[in-house]
Amino acid sequence: MANLSNGNDDSNNNGSFLKIPKIKFTKLFINGEFVDSVSGKRFETVDPRTEEVITEIAEATKEDIDIAVKAARQAFDSGPWPRMPGAERAKIMLKWAELIEENIEEIAALDTIDGGKLYSWCKAVDVPEASNLLRYYAGAADKIHGEVFKTSRNLHLYSLMEPVGVVGHIIPWNFPTVMFFTKASPALAAGCTMLLKPAEDTPLSALFYAHLAKLAGIPDGVLNVVPGFGSTAGAAIASHMDVDAVSFTGSTETGRKVMMAATMSNLKPVSLELGGKSPVLIFDDADVDKAVDLALFGILHNKGEICVAFSRVYVQERIYDEFEKKVVEKAKTWVVGDPFDPKVQQGPQTSKAQFEKILSYIELGKKEGATLLTGGKRFGNKGYYIEPTIFSNVKEDMLISQDEIFGPVMVLSKFKSIGEGIEKANSSKYGLASGIVTKNMDIANTVSRSIRAGIVWINCFFAFDVDCPFGGYKMSGFGRDYGLEALHKYLQVKSVATPIYNSPWL
């Protein structure tokens, strides 16, 4: 059994690890102001460490989305943001980045109490990544160029790259800070205005970021943050006739609905980053201890609530028994508990619904005939904690091998040859991420070109970079976040032609 930190029972404002900040922002942020919803509805956001209500948040419904879209449309059609020189937009974005860094501890604490994320990770990685994203795209804001074409006719022909317009962003609950700026940063640099709907489970940091955006000088109406539920607020964004593009990260099931709504409304372009069931192939030349560490981190990081998690682990048969023994031993030492405790490696699942879903899949794995090697139960008696769980003897057609569980559940199998490993890795409807562990570059090159996934990690995991495009194959979606490709999806190309008369040059 994993080691439960005594911090699991220490969850109030007088906790021994950190004083919980006062919640300052609970209303919708529309047209530069915090406002109540039209209906007056509010919903509860819950601390997954304690199962207790943190506060109530204003709930955006269709009427609120209409108001927010109107504000964003006015800001785009008549406001200064799209018309600013890119360098001026960049200055404001850089100021926003500075404000985030000044408030790093408070923001990290908000994501910890709202989503069960490790405070140390939020402070060291997630929140600094927000600033990094803003700075990267601020640097691109004044480098958006079209082309001049050498034509075969008497024409002066060139292209412009223009902002797409009003963008709707719908983000998930597993990385509330990183996803906020993954979407907002390139769209702002492009000159777009936007609505951003945070997940109903984790709205707190998004509202805090809206406050900082106002302080940084982002004009009213450019950024609107509208917490609410997918079936109402999210659906209203996806189907709105005056939203020009939608970027969504979340489940494949919901991604289908977003795409259908976009198709049935104004044919707005859609970018989808959806589910995953990422494989990692561990070859028999690998250092077993390092492979164990990599595979375990790959499934237990962020309590398994990662679309790119190494949830399918395939080990070449010669080292399989050694790997299985060592990975089980290591999983039993994994420290689960209060995410504010610096010694803790795994906090609670984000919500009761996700907690129950994961446990139901664990029971399903047992019924399907897989062997439960370790874990498989609730951890402690308070909070949404689950033991690190490993199944072996998993067949490819089992649901625990096919479905995205989105929790700390590893399915472990063996393979014989390179060809069999590739076949197993590709035996999924998803294609978001994948991993290879080997010392042989010939194997690495062959396998990396054979796996159908948006990113392949060789001897590493979670190796993202702001300059590296990221997205999926197959039912993991389409479109790319990060890099200049993300900037370009918020731009449209316009061609302009002018006749040339009596010119010596075409």
Side-chain angles (χ1 to χ4, degrees), residues 4 23 120 150 183 225 229 331 351 444:
L4 176 63
I23 307 303
S120 58
K150 187 74 171 177
K183 305 298 186 184
V225 178
F229 294 87
S351 67

Side-chain angles (χ1 to χ4, degrees), residues 255-470:
R256 288 180 186 272
K257 295 177 181 177
V258 169
M259 192 169 181
M260 289 176 64
T263 301
M264 297 301 292
S265 54
N266 58 349
L267 285 174
K268 59 178 71 66
V270 176
S271 174
L272 302 174
E273 195 256 276
L274 306 177
K277 191 72 175 176
S278 301
V280 56
L281 296 175
I282 300 172
F283 289 89
D284 58 15
D285 67 322
D287 182 308
V288 175
D289 291 323
K290 291 181 179 178
V292 164
D293 289 342
L294 185 62
L296 205 59
F297 180 69
I299 187 60
L300 299 183
H301 175 52
N302 205 53
K303 51 288 187 1
E305 292 176 347
I306 309 181
C307 51
V308 298
F310 283 164
S311 50
R312 293 186 292 143
V313 179
Y314 298 104
V315 183
Q316 202 158 16
E317 58 182 7
R318 189 172 68 82
I319 62 169
Y320 177 86
D321 290 341
E322 180 185 1
F323 180 92
E324 181 185 285
K325 178 183 177 182
K326 288 184 174 181
V327 79
V328 171
E329 290 174 350
K330 193 72 175 276
K332 290 178 179 179
T333 68
W334 203 256
V335 183
V336 181
D338 188 332
F340 283 109
D341 184 344
K343 298 186 296 294
V344 162
Q345 296 168 286
Q346 179 183 320
Q349 309 307 135
T350 295
S351 67
K352 182 178 181 181
Q354 186 61 22
F355 171 77
E356 292 176 344
K357 173 189 171 183
I358 296 165
L359 291 176
S360 71
Y361 267 106
I362 291 172
E363 292 305 309
L364 180 61
K366 296 176 186 176
K367 292 177 182 177
E368 288 182 313
T371 302
L372 181 64
L373 296 177
T374 188
K377 301 188 299 295
R378 177 178 189 158
F379 206 89
N381 54 20
K382 187 179 184 182
Y384 304 132
Y385 297 90
I386 293 178
E387 294 176 339
T389 299
I390 301 175
F391 281 103
S392 66
N393 297 318
V394 179
K395 298 178 180 178
E396 295 304 307
D397 60 353
M398 291 181 178
L399 289 179
I400 61 168
S401 185
Q402 288 295 318
D403 290 359
E404 184 179 39
I405 299 173
F406 221 62
V409 182
M410 177 191 294
V411 296
L412 188 57
S413 305
K414 64 178 69 173
F415 68 96
K416 294 181 180 180
S417 65
I418 294 175
E420 183 186 4
I422 292 169
E423 183 180 353
K424 286 178 178 289
N426 285 332
S427 64
S428 172
K429 62 187 176 183
Y430 298 113
L432 193 58
S434 59
I436 302 166
V437 185
T438 181
K439 297 174 183 176
N440 188 320
M441 285 308 298
D442 290 336
I443 292 175
N445 286 331
T446 297
V447 177
S448 63
R449 284 161 172 75
S450 303
I451 294 178
R452 292 186 53 76
I455 191 165
V456 181
W457 288 308
I458 301 173
N459 298 326
C460 59
F461 171 71
F462 216 63
F464 289 109
D465 186 84
V466 65
D467 204 35
C468 179
F470 169 70

Side-chain angles (χ1 to χ4, degrees), residues 34 38 100 118 187 241 330:
F34 285 101
V38 172
I100 289 168
L118 295 182
M241 293 295 292
K330 193 72 175 276

Side-chain angles (χ1 to χ4, degrees), residues 87-99:
E88 293 301 311
R89 288 199 297 271
K91 288 179 182 178
I92 296 173
M93 294 172 68
L94 292 172
K95 176 61 177 176
W96 196 9
E98 291 175 3
L99 291 170

